[in-house]
């Protein structure tokens, strides 16, 4: 029975480590995907344009434009796909802060967003 509890405690440590490092791992993967998209856009723009029959005169400008366009598209797709996970991570962080305040005995104050008033004459 004792070894079962020790195994469960070790599993909890590993689970907490995975959850704690999830945000970092996700951010690392997003940067790698964004860099890969920029490199792919840079390398694949001229072959795609020549396959379409277009004549590109300043090749470097088209390569840079391809890198910019593909990284922008990748950023937007990744924001939609990974956005909910990042919101959950932020929500988890906020809940932990509230729980820590309650454990310390401090009252939890909910800050209301500042309402901007329209200018009046």
């Amino acid at each position: 029975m004792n070894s079962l509890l020790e195994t469960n405690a070790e599993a909890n440590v590993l689970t907490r480590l995975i959850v704690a490092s999830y945000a970092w791992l996700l951010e690392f993967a997003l940067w790698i995907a964004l860099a890969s998209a920029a490199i792919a856009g840079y390398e694949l723009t001229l072959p795609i344009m020549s396959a379409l029959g277009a004549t590109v005169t300043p090749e470097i400008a088209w390569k840079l434009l391809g890198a910019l366009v593909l990284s922008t598209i990748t950023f937007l797709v990744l924001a939609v796909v990974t956005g909910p996970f990042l919101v959950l991570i932020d929500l988890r962080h906020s809940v932990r802060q509230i729980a820590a305040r309650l454990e310390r005995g401090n009252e939890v104050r909910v800050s209301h967003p500042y309402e901007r008033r329209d200018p009046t004459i």
Side-chain angles (χ1 to χ4, degrees):
M1 185 72 168
N2 229 357
S3 65
L4 180 62
L5 291 176
E6 289 173 4
T7 307
N8 192 18
E10 290 173 3
N12 285 341
V13 170
L14 184 59
T15 303
R16 287 182 182 174
L17 178 65
I18 290 172
V19 171
S21 63
Y22 184 72
W24 184 82
L25 291 171
L26 186 62
E27 183 173 352
F28 182 73
L30 290 174
W31 279 111
I32 293 296
L34 199 59
S36 300
I39 293 169
Y42 183 82
E43 293 295 326
L44 296 176
T45 300
L46 290 182
I48 290 173
M49 294 300 283
S50 63
L52 292 174
T55 307
V56 291
T57 48
E59 290 182 3
I60 189 71
W62 281 97
K63 284 184 173 185
L64 292 175
L65 181 66
L68 181 67
V69 167
L70 193 58
S71 14
T72 304
I73 291 170
T74 303
F75 175 78
L76 293 175
V77 168
L78 289 175
V80 170
V81 170
T82 62
F85 296 114
L86 296 173
V87 168
L88 287 176
I89 290 171
D90 188 46
L91 200 122
R92 181 177 172 266
H93 179 69
S94 297
V95 168
R96 280 191 165 188
Q97 282 183 344
I98 292 171
R101 285 183 191 159
L102 287 175
E103 285 178 2
R104 287 192 309 251
N106 297 347
E107 66 181 54
V108 179
R109 294 182 188 161
V110 178
S111 61
H112 298 289
Y114 176 73
E115 292 185 21
R116 203 169 100 188
R117 296 186 178 139
D118 293 331
T120 58
I121 298 178

